[in-house]
Amino acid sequence: MAAAMELCHEKGWSDGLPVVPPTAELVGAMLEACALDPDQEVAFIENRQVSVTAEKIAINAVLAGCKPAYMPVIVATVEALADPLYGYHGPGTSTGGAAVLMIVNGPIARELGINNDHNLFGPGWRANATIGRAVRLVMRNTIGTMPGTLDQSSLGHPGKYTYCIAENETDSPWPPLHTSRGFKAEQNAVTIMAALGVHQYSNGMSAAPEGVLTTACAQMRVSAGTARQPCYTMVFAGEHQAIMKKAGYSREDVKRFVFEHSKSSIADLKRMNLKDGAVKPEDEKAMLDLVETPDALLIVAAGGKAGVQSCYIPGWGGKAGSQSVTREIRKP
């Protein structure tokens, strides 16, 4: 076993962590769990002219340490990666360092034990750790998104190891995320986004949604940079969820408030050296939206029940950058 693991490292099939050698028996169990033939094409990455087959996904799922039951989630995520709206080549090759954020909804999230609670983006849950890792290994080993060659990320971030969470549908003040994207609550779905790192903020002073959101918007305005972003994810943890629920603040209310209050003036962007040129009087009133429309904001309930921390996650690219995509998770 030790020699097999070292061989995987030598061949470049690992992300730097130990991997499970993909024996025929283990790969076969993965394929059986999703009822796919080995040669069946799951996705075609247009810019790379790469066909991703079920067998390739199964091999990488074994390498990542997945259980066979995780395969339908991984397959759906790989399907989403090939969607033209996601635009794989841009976030996969940019110096910006985006990772694939995965948000899982539906009964399958609870069945698989995908964490939606304490230590949301941290270690400790096999499903979160290995599902996200398997997708990254598919990108690396099958599509060729290797650091320093295709992947030109300047800094990267830990989400490139794994970036998989579930939404807390039980305690959420809102209907499940995937129901706002055309799916029924009883369906299983995964939403992906080319995402930068987690930006955490704290607000223990406000008892109203507007106060919490004002804090978030103040920090998000800096993220606007020199161009409008394609999308943002906002994750609200327990105490902030409770504030939203008590006030009857809907997901649409959050979107509208954030869209209106996260605009940056051209003058401020110039002062922060995020736009060129001297500040002109008209720049004080010329405003730049954070995103193109309120619907470009993904509003998610997840995280520990204690504490006054929530977070936002910027998307990758400017106005025409990578869009969020949702796919149904199909269980055989």
Side-chain angles (χ1 to χ4, degrees), residues 260 263-271 275 278-289:
E260 289 300 323
K263 303 174 189 289
S264 296
S265 71
I266 299 300
D268 282 342
L269 292 173
K270 286 182 175 180
R271 293 186 187 106
K275 274 196 175 296
V279 177
K280 302 175 183 178
E282 60 266 28
D283 291 340
E284 301 290 353
K285 294 184 178 180
M287 307 301 289
L288 180 70
D289 297 329

Side-chain angles (χ1 to χ4, degrees), residues 40-322:
Q40 184 170 336
E41 183 178 271
V42 171
F44 186 79
I45 308 300
E46 186 70 33
N47 295 94
R48 298 293 297 156
Q49 291 292 292
V50 171
S51 175
V52 183
T53 64
E55 185 178 45
K56 296 292 187 181
I57 296 173
I59 290 169
N60 286 288
V62 173
L63 285 166
C66 291
K67 292 182 177 180
Y70 302 167
M71 269 292 285
V73 182
I74 302 166
V75 168
T77 303
V78 174
E79 288 177 350
L81 286 178
D83 191 302
L85 286 174
Y86 182 82
Y88 182 91
H89 191 67
T93 61
S94 167
T95 58
V100 181
L101 172 64
M102 304 166 56
I103 305 164
V104 183
N105 280 102
I108 197 169
R110 297 178 288 278
E111 293 168 11
L112 300 182
I114 303 175
N115 182 36
N116 62 24
D117 207 318
H118 298 284
N119 205 34
L120 181 67
F121 294 99
W125 285 265
R126 181 177 179 181
N128 300 59
T130 61
I131 291 172
R133 188 187 184 200
V135 172
R136 173 55 58 173
L137 289 175
V138 168
M139 295 170 64
R140 174 189 178 93
N141 295 331
T142 304
I143 305 174
T145 310
M146 299 284 284
T149 54
L150 183 64
D151 181 355
Q152 292 292 322
S153 171
S154 297
L155 296 173
H157 64 85
K160 283 196 163 192
Y161 276 106
T162 182
Y163 217 180
C164 175
I165 64 170
E167 185 171 38
N168 184 348
E169 298 177 9
T170 303
D171 300 320
S172 174
W174 311 298
L177 174 67
H178 66 314
T179 63
S180 68
R181 299 174 69 84
F183 293 87
K184 298 177 181 178
E186 61 270 20
Q187 288 181 285
N188 299 308
V190 59
T191 300
I192 71 165
M193 182 183 105
L196 303 182
V198 173
H199 295 246
Q200 181 175 301
Y201 62 90
S202 298
N203 182 323
M205 300 176 63
S206 300
E210 294 84 357
V212 174
L213 296 176
T214 297
T215 301
C217 290
Q219 299 197 30
M220 292 170 75
R221 280 195 291 272
V222 178
S223 301
T226 57
R228 182 184 293 130
Q229 297 298 96
C231 50
Y232 271 70
T233 291
M234 299 184 71
V235 180
F236 294 91
E239 293 192 28
H240 290 166
Q241 288 177 34
I243 290 171
M244 303 291 171
K245 182 178 288 188
K246 184 177 180 181
Y249 223 71
S250 70
R251 177 178 273 118
E252 288 67 33
D253 291 332
V254 175
K255 290 180 180 181
R256 282 192 293 268
F257 186 96
V258 172
F259 183 75
E260 289 300 323
H261 294 83
S262 60
K263 303 174 189 289
S264 296
S265 71
I266 299 300
D268 282 342
L269 292 173
K270 286 182 175 180
R271 293 186 187 106
M272 291 186 289
N273 296 311
L274 293 174
K275 274 196 175 296
D276 290 332
V279 177
K280 302 175 183 178
E282 60 266 28
D283 291 340
E284 301 290 353
K285 294 184 178 180
M287 307 301 289
L288 180 70
D289 297 329
L290 185 74
V291 290
E292 189 169 13
T293 69
D295 283 338
L297 298 166
L298 303 182
I299 309 302
V300 178
K305 295 176 178 59
V308 292
Q309 292 77 32
S310 289
C311 74
Y312 65 90
I313 304 170
W316 174 90
K319 180 180 178 181
S322 177

